[in-house]
Amino acid sequence: MRKMRIAMAAMGAVAALTLSACGGDGGSSGGETQGGSAGGDKIRIGIKYDQPGLGYKSGNDFTGFDVDVAKYVANELGYSTDQIEFVESPSANRENMLSNGQVDMIFATYSITDERKKTVDFAGPYFVAGQDLLVSAENTDIKGPDDLNGKNLCSVTGSTSAQRIKDEHAENVNLLERPGYAECVTAMQSGQIDAVTTDDIILAGLAAQPNFKGKFKVVGNPFSEERYGVGLPKGTDQCADINAAINKMVESGAWEEALTANTEGVDYKFNEELNPPKPGDACA
């Protein structure tokens, strides 16, 4: 009987040690994200899957500037790369995905606006983009939106960027729509259109793709301001930590390295008056 009691006590001690080990520092993860668990095994980050140079999925690989910034921030929060679960986050679904806990944060060319801030929070910005034009590398006639009268301008179906140019800059421009920006660039390559319009960094990412490299240039005359933020669930306490991570990425040079790597081979320079960004300590 005495031997049985000793054996049971030993088993209890082993169990206690096992529980203590499991409930210690939670592994290598030192952060806590809204919608996730403190020091959890995974962090779910929303990105685009179809924006080359920003957020792009090819097989099991994820590439782009948004992806690089997301990895850097996640690492600063205590998550290694293999603890990141990237989740496709289409523009129309981003607010719902954050509100429903489908993702912990979103890096997906997500512009900070007062309307969106009613339902979600934003850290950042981590980049300030501007609407611009992509033209052929040899084009010397188009230097800005005012030069588009009589020209064929492409943007994606449902976008307001091309219509903005027609309303505010060149009323005689011919607008063409395609399902995606890649289709616009392909149409320009074949001579069907003269220019493509959307945010400058999206254009640069497209033109940096191997099949387009060296054939196009970003005009470099942005005429809007889009502050890309990190989308977060409303009421988060993560803004200060994420902003600190972005600032560290900028100060270390990793921010510019990531931007350069994802726009390599394109005649593109980010707007130095607005970038690198300088996030504060609170939500944007």
Side-chain angles (χ1 to χ4, degrees):
M1 190 71 177
R2 183 171 178 272
K3 291 181 178 179
M4 183 178 292
R5 285 198 299 270
I6 292 172
M8 292 178 66
M11 291 172 62
V14 171
L17 286 170
T18 303
L19 287 171
S20 176
C22 291
D25 63 6
S28 63
S29 172
E32 177 179 357
T33 57
Q34 298 294 325
S37 57
D41 290 336
K42 295 286 185 181
I43 181 170
R44 296 159 300 166
I45 299 180
I47 61 168
K48 295 288 183 68
Y49 278 13
D50 59 354
Q51 282 188 339
L54 285 154
Y56 190 72
K57 181 183 180 184
S58 177
N60 293 320
D61 295 328
F62 300 92
T63 59
F65 179 66
D66 283 354
V67 173
D68 290 343
V69 178
K71 287 179 178 179
Y72 191 99
V73 169
N75 182 260
E76 289 298 306
L77 295 178
Y79 292 90
S80 61
T81 300
D82 60 4
Q83 290 177 297
I84 299 172
E85 178 185 346
F86 286 117
V87 181
E88 185 174 17
S89 301
S91 296
N93 299 346
R94 289 176 300 198
E95 284 83 26
N96 286 337
M97 293 181 74
L98 287 167
S99 298
N100 297 336
Q102 293 172 260
V103 292
D104 299 313
M105 55 185 66
I106 290 178
F107 293 75
T109 60
Y110 201 3
S111 295
I112 301 169
T113 68
D114 290 338
E115 185 64 27
R116 288 170 176 162
K117 286 167 67 175
K118 293 177 182 177
T119 54
V120 301
D121 283 341
F122 287 98
Y126 62 89
F127 187 79
V128 183
Q131 186 178 342
D132 211 323
L133 302 170
L134 188 74
V135 298
S136 69
E138 298 79 20
N139 190 305
T140 58
D141 297 330
I142 299 175
K143 299 180 176 64
D146 297 329
D147 298 326
L148 290 170
N149 279 308
K151 305 292 187 182
N152 295 327
L153 175 67
C154 188
S155 192
V156 299
T157 304
S159 170
T160 60
S161 55
Q163 188 62 48
R164 177 188 296 172
I165 289 177
K166 189 176 182 68
D167 292 342
E168 300 176 11
H169 296 277
E171 62 179 350
N172 293 321
V173 65
N174 303 312
L175 303 184
L176 292 88
E177 292 185 340
R178 293 290 185 272
Y181 290 111
E183 288 87 348
C184 282
V185 178
T186 299
M188 185 161 59
Q189 191 174 20
S190 65
Q192 300 174 47
I193 63 169
D194 300 294
V196 182
T197 189
T198 187
D199 292 353
D200 54 0
I201 191 172
I202 296 176
L203 296 173
L206 282 166
Q209 297 313 292
N211 53 324
F212 296 141
K213 193 167 289 187
K215 298 178 180 178
F216 304 102
K217 64 181 178 181
V218 180
V219 168
N221 186 14
F223 45 96
S224 73
E225 187 174 315
E226 302 292 338
R227 299 164 67 232
Y228 291 171
V230 184
L232 299 163
K234 195 69 177 173
T236 182
D237 60 358
Q238 292 290 293
C239 286
D241 289 340
I242 294 172
N243 286 340
I246 294 169
N247 283 322
K248 183 176 178 180
M249 187 178 186
V250 169
E251 291 165 4
S252 70
W255 180 90
E256 189 164 355
E257 288 176 8
L259 188 61
T260 300
N262 286 291
T263 57
E264 188 177 2
V266 182
D267 186 6
Y268 165 73
K269 182 65 177 176
F270 61 83
N271 189 329
E272 293 180 339
E273 293 181 3
L274 302 175
N275 291 292
K278 296 178 177 61
D281 295 328
C283 288

